[in-house]
Amino acid sequence: MRRLLEQGVAIFSWSGTLLLLTVLLVLLGYLGYRGAGAVDTGLIFGTIPPLDALLLRRQVFDGLFPAVAGTFALVLLAVGLAAPVGLAAGIYMAEYCRGRSRQVLGLFFDILAGLPSIVVGLAGFSLTIALHRLLPGSLGPCLLISALSLGFLILPYLIRSTQLALESLPPALRLSAPALGATKLQNIRYVLLPARLSAILGGIILATGRAAEDTAVIMLTGAVASAGLPRSLFEQFEALPFFIYYISSQYSDPDELQTGFGAAILLSAVCAVLLLGAFIIEQTLSRRLMR
Amino acid sequence: MSTFGRLPVVLFRLAAFGSGLLTIAVFLLMLFLGWPLLSGGQFVHLIAEEWSPDRGLYGVFPMVIGSIAIALLALCFSLPISLGTSFVAATLAPRPLRRCLLAMVRFMAGIPTVVYGFVAVFLLVPFMREHLTGGSGLNILTASMILALLIAPTMIVFFVGGLGSVEKSFCLAVDGLGGTKVQKLLYLQLPQAWPAMVAGVVMGLGRAMGDTLISLMLAGNSVAVPHAAIDSGRTLTAHIALVIAADFSSMEFKSIFAAGMILYVFSSVVVVVLRLFTGMAMRPTG
């Protein structure tokens, strides 16, 4: 009886793994099969020479350039806004916060990390409504609101990764500088942070990936299907994830659909590269610690 | 210490407490904006009522049912596969294959949700339409199948972490007694790691409830209460995304704040439950 159970578990496990791998391969294979033809410079820049588009000499109408630029600006802004706050809060949690307030703050950050992204988007949207009531006509859904909401979404991940990175330092390293007369701040600035810089960087890169792929937040806070290049913080913008969502329901001809598949490949590639970057940084770090 | 020397610490504290306060502020903001619909004890009506704007009913009951149905169904699909994969990735496979499998799971977690949805619209939906469910192919079953794929990496990572953190000497003892890998898994790792396994399931359920794009793209978004897995359904998350384009001052619009609050409370409960179970996993059991 037990032998039967054990054999059953083994068969069950391997077939589950096989099924998961097969489904993943089918999905990715289909994406590659349908989208491979679309991936060239024309996908991003249309018929405009890439250099002209990048230097903003000519506008791109039939390529993904506005969406790519929108996503780039959005993610850069979101991470730029959230990273300093996240790092500071992470340092505070790891080095200063003790007792009851540490538990309460930890719970809040866990709740924040668990919030569905549509709720964060709704919060950003509510903010625009509140602003609209206080100062009529000042601000609608726009790039800035989106970046703020997105930054809020990735904030708990930044805090947690920074906190974990600092807390996992060996005690010997933590104590030697203060023993030589360094203040706590000097210790953090010159010893602890440099020692864990790559882990913190890895956390930031992973958070960047999350910001790049999220669709629910930006569709509530200012992403639209056609807006051209992002010109100002206070205007609506295009973004890759929203473009992909939009195409899936609103495409009008095979060419547009093909561009959609190309965009899906492009976004997956961007996220894969970010993931790989974080992975490599983590690997080099663990090798250095083992030595 | 001089005032200047204290400044960084003050900034650190400000960042931490500010972020914590923002978490509460989000809830209060939704409460404030949804208040016209909530005041006068209408909240129960709001959750239990049907959605029928013609008759002045703005209950989100169908969406609550839709969310729960899709999330539970996704969990049913995903749990066996995730369990199996985590068994292989934690114990059964040889070491190089285990590393390979884990890297792949992490890669899966990195694929954008919208890409899963996009591919499913053009691959799974036509298949469902022509061979399985008929209709438009956009239904609860389709959405939960893709959602199962989406939450699998989350659960696998939790499961593998739990199974892998079993006391090393115990594992060596099983190996020393000549136990096979399956025996080690069944009689040592699984009983030891059950709080982590439960935590993984709760986490998976939380992610499934919180996802917007998959149900928005694949579940059909009808506002009727679904009665079967092949019915079209609408989730709370999709409801928020769909109604947001409507008129600001309408009651219809206010209902999205009720949906938002339900989601907020649900995800907070998930976090608290998770904390209880991971607290149990920390303490050595038995």
Side-chain angles (χ1 to χ4, degrees), chain B:
Chain B
M1 207 185 279
S2 67
T3 335
F4 181 73
R6 297 278 314 162
L7 187 65
V9 186
V10 172
L11 286 180
F12 293 162
R13 179 176 301 157
L14 202 67
F17 281 91
S19 310
L21 281 179
L22 271 177
T23 315
I24 306 173
V26 167
F27 189 78
L28 293 182
L29 193 60
M30 287 193 299
L31 193 66
F32 170 68
L33 288 168
W35 192 247
L37 205 58
L38 299 174
S39 55
Q42 284 183 25
F43 194 71
V44 182
H45 287 282
L46 205 61
I47 293 182
E49 247 174 26
E50 279 186 45
W51 178 266
S52 174
D54 318 337
R55 291 187 287 146
L57 298 179
Y58 298 95
V60 290
F61 180 67
M63 296 77 177
V64 173
I65 296 297
S67 274
I68 292 175
I70 288 181
L72 284 183
L73 207 56
L75 199 64
C76 290
F77 287 133
S78 195
L79 188 58
I81 296 176
S82 305
L83 270 181
T85 309
S86 70
F87 289 168
V88 170
T91 315
L92 300 183
R95 186 174 284 271
L97 188 61
R98 269 158 47 190
R99 287 187 60 128
C100 202
L101 207 56
L102 276 178
M104 196 214 68
V105 169
R106 286 179 65 175
F107 169 72
M108 257 187 94
I111 299 177
T113 316
V114 69
V115 172
Y116 278 117
F118 187 80
V119 175
V121 165
F122 297 103
L123 185 66
L124 186 63
V125 170
F127 177 81
M128 298 295 275
R129 182 168 53 219
E130 275 150 35
H131 300 286
L132 275 175
T133 61
S136 64
L138 298 170
N139 52 46
I140 290 178
L141 187 65
T142 314
S144 58
M145 279 162 82
I146 295 298
L147 200 53
L149 202 62
L150 192 79
I151 62 175
T154 313
M155 294 209 281
I156 294 171
V157 166
F158 255 80
F159 293 164
V160 170
L163 293 171
S165 63
V166 170
E167 188 67 39
K168 198 114 199 166
S169 57
F170 294 179
C171 293
L172 289 174
V174 175
D175 293 342
L177 289 168
T180 61
K181 282 180 170 176
V182 180
Q183 286 170 336
K184 180 163 73 180
L185 180 77
L186 272 182
Y187 308 125
L188 170 68
Q189 286 174 306
L190 213 49
Q192 285 276 316
W194 73 265
M197 312 300 277
V198 177
V201 173
V202 174
M203 188 78 186
L205 191 66
R207 278 217 60 180
M209 283 284 281
D211 182 79
T212 311
L213 263 291
I214 297 297
S215 53
L216 183 62
M217 292 168 93
L218 301 173
N221 298 322
S222 112
V223 289
V225 179
H227 294 288
I230 57 166
D231 280 356
S232 161
R234 182 187 284 201
T235 59
L236 287 167
T237 49
H239 181 66
I240 297 177
L242 288 165
V243 172
I244 208 117
D247 181 19
F248 276 20
S249 54
S250 66
M251 288 304 259
E252 189 178 0
F253 182 75
K254 302 278 190 313
S255 76
I256 64 174
F257 296 105
M261 272 185 281
I262 296 172
L263 286 168
Y264 191 110
V265 170
F266 176 80
S267 61
S268 307
V269 169
V270 164
V271 167
V272 171
V273 171
L274 271 178
R275 284 204 143 204
L276 289 179
F277 274 104
T278 42
M280 267 160 107
M282 293 291 185
R283 263 172 261 135
T285 45

Side-chain angles (χ1 to χ4, degrees), chain A residues 2 5-7 9-10 12-14 16-21 23-24 26-28 30-31 34 84-93 96-97 101-103 105-112 114-120 122-127 129-130 132-133 152 155 159-160 183 185 188 206 210 213 215-216 219-220 240-242 244-245 247-249 251 257 260-261 263-265 267-268 271-272 275 278-279 282-283, chain B residues 1 5-9 11-13 15-17 19-24 26 29-30 32-33 79-81 83-89 92-94 97 99 101 103-123 146 149 152 156 180 182-183 185-187 206-207 209-213 216-217 236-238 240-242 244 248 253-254 256-257 259-261 263-264 267-268 271-272 275:
Chain A
R2 286 206 149 178
L5 174 74
E6 285 162 18
Q7 273 172 357
V9 167
F12 162 80
S13 305
W14 284 102
T17 312
L18 213 62
L19 183 63
L20 187 69
L21 287 180
V23 171
L24 185 68
V26 167
L27 284 184
L28 289 180
Y30 184 75
L31 179 63
R34 287 290 300 265
V85 182
L87 288 192
I91 293 172
Y92 182 76
M93 289 295 284
Y96 293 96
C97 197
S101 64
R102 182 187 167 90
Q103 279 183 347
L105 279 180
L107 181 65
F108 280 162
F109 296 150
D110 278 1
I111 289 176
L112 195 52
L115 280 188
S117 62
I118 191 97
V119 173
V120 175
L122 185 60
F125 185 77
S126 311
L127 181 70
I129 299 179
H132 191 78
R133 279 190 191 167
F152 187 52
L155 189 60
I159 296 174
R160 277 282 178 242
T183 64
L185 265 179
I188 294 172
L206 279 183
R210 288 195 61 97
E213 70 127 356
T215 320
M219 66 195 274
L220 297 197
L240 265 185
F242 186 78
I244 296 170
Y245 164 70
I247 287 294
S248 77
S249 56
Y251 70 96
L257 184 59
F261 272 102
I265 291 184
L267 185 65
S268 308
C271 289
L275 204 67
F279 184 68
E282 194 180 293
Q283 289 298 304
Chain B
M1 207 185 279
R6 297 278 314 162
L7 187 65
V9 186
L11 286 180
F12 293 162
R13 179 176 301 157
F17 281 91
S19 310
L21 281 179
L22 271 177
T23 315
I24 306 173
V26 167
L29 193 60
M30 287 193 299
F32 170 68
L33 288 168
L79 188 58
I81 296 176
L83 270 181
T85 309
S86 70
F87 289 168
V88 170
L92 300 183
L97 188 61
R99 287 187 60 128
L101 207 56
M104 196 214 68
V105 169
R106 286 179 65 175
F107 169 72
M108 257 187 94
I111 299 177
T113 316
V114 69
V115 172
Y116 278 117
F118 187 80
V119 175
V121 165
F122 297 103
L123 185 66
I146 295 298
L149 202 62
I156 294 171
T180 61
V182 180
Q183 286 170 336
L185 180 77
L186 272 182
Y187 308 125
R207 278 217 60 180
M209 283 284 281
D211 182 79
T212 311
L213 263 291
L216 183 62
M217 292 168 93
L236 287 167
T237 49
I240 297 177
L242 288 165
I244 208 117
F248 276 20
F253 182 75
K254 302 278 190 313
I256 64 174
F257 296 105
M261 272 185 281
L263 286 168
Y264 191 110
S267 61
S268 307
V271 167
V272 171
R275 284 204 143 204

Side-chain angles (χ1 to χ4, degrees), chain A residues 158-197:
Chain A
L158 292 167
I159 296 174
R160 277 282 178 242
S161 62
T162 308
Q163 186 188 352
L164 272 178
L166 288 176
E167 281 174 352
S168 62
L169 277 171
L173 187 65
R174 183 177 288 280
L175 292 175
S176 39
L180 293 169
T183 64
K184 191 161 184 172
L185 265 179
Q186 285 172 331
N187 193 24
I188 294 172
R189 164 74 182 79
Y190 295 106
V191 181
L192 305 184
L193 280 184
R196 286 314 241 150
L197 198 60

